[in-house]
């Protein structure tokens, strides 16, 4: 069964490279939780019956500190559905010593189709770069 083979291959790679991160089983796939301390990603994979492969279908990001001060006040969460390309983010900033929620960001964000065999952290870092750019844009527009 390709589904089990792909997951077994992923678990072996995961154990060797990322030891401290987490795999979470889902009904139709799994989530790979990759925590970097002040930020992290959750990559959701589901079995694509047509392609007969595990496909990356969603990415979530938490960034506790975007501005670099590490106080935990500027940051937020975002999610992109890779099947519909719909991106939603909730960010906050500190203004006049108060935490202010920025308006919810709803955009289209496109990534290449990614399967388990060609998945790497590169797609997460590309996602993070796009999130930071939108955060900076919205922060400037919503002062």
């Amino acid at each position: 069964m390709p589904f089990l083979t792909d997951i077994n291959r992923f678990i072996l790679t995961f154990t060797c490279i990322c030891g401290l991160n987490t795999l979470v089983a889902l009904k139709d796939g799994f989530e790979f939780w990759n925590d970097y301390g002040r930020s992290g990603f959750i990559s959701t994979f589901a079995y694509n019956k047509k392609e007969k492969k595990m496909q990356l279908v969603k990415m979530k990001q938490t960034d506790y500190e975007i501005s670099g001060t590490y106080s935990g006040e500027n940051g937020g969460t975002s999610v992109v559905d890779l099947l519909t390309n719909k991106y939603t983010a909730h960010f906050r900033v500190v203004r006049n010593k108060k935490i202010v929620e920025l308006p919810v960001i709803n955009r289209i964000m496109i990534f290449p189709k990614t399967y388990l065999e060609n998945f790497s952290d590169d797609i997460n870092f590309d996602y993070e770069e796009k999130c930071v750019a939108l955060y900076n844009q919205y922060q400037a527009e919503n002062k």
Side-chain angles (χ1 to χ4, degrees), residues 20-42:
L20 299 175
N21 293 313
T22 307
L23 283 177
V24 177
L26 301 174
K27 183 179 177 182
D28 63 344
F30 63 92
E31 288 182 337
F32 171 45
W33 296 15
N34 198 346
D35 188 5
Y36 291 104
R38 290 186 175 98
S39 66
F41 302 98
I42 297 176

Side-chain angles (χ1 to χ4, degrees), residues 79-97:
V79 63
V80 61
D81 181 323
L82 299 172
L83 301 176
T84 63
N85 302 313
K86 291 182 181 176
Y87 168 84
T88 304
H90 302 270
F91 291 115
R92 62 191 173 280
V93 297
V94 176
R95 296 205 177 110
N96 301 320
K97 299 181 182 180

Side-chain angles (χ1 to χ4, degrees), residues 95-109:
R95 296 205 177 110
N96 301 320
K97 299 181 182 180
K98 292 183 182 178
I99 297 174
V100 177
E101 296 286 329
L102 293 175
V104 174
I105 301 171
N106 290 299
R107 285 284 205 311
I108 296 296
M109 191 177 281

Side-chain angles (χ1 to χ4, degrees), residues 93-139:
V93 297
V94 176
R95 296 205 177 110
N96 301 320
K97 299 181 182 180
K98 292 183 182 178
I99 297 174
V100 177
E101 296 286 329
L102 293 175
V104 174
I105 301 171
N106 290 299
R107 285 284 205 311
I108 296 296
M109 191 177 281
I110 300 172
F111 292 90
K113 268 192 179 179
T114 302
Y115 298 97
L116 186 56
E117 60 269 10
N118 63 345
F119 173 77
S120 76
D121 280 344
D122 291 345
I123 194 164
N124 292 137
F125 295 132
D126 184 28
Y127 177 41
E128 179 180 42
E129 189 176 301
K130 290 178 179 182
C131 290
V132 169
L134 283 171
Y135 169 84
N136 289 335
Q137 175 188 344
Y138 266 66
Q139 184 180 13

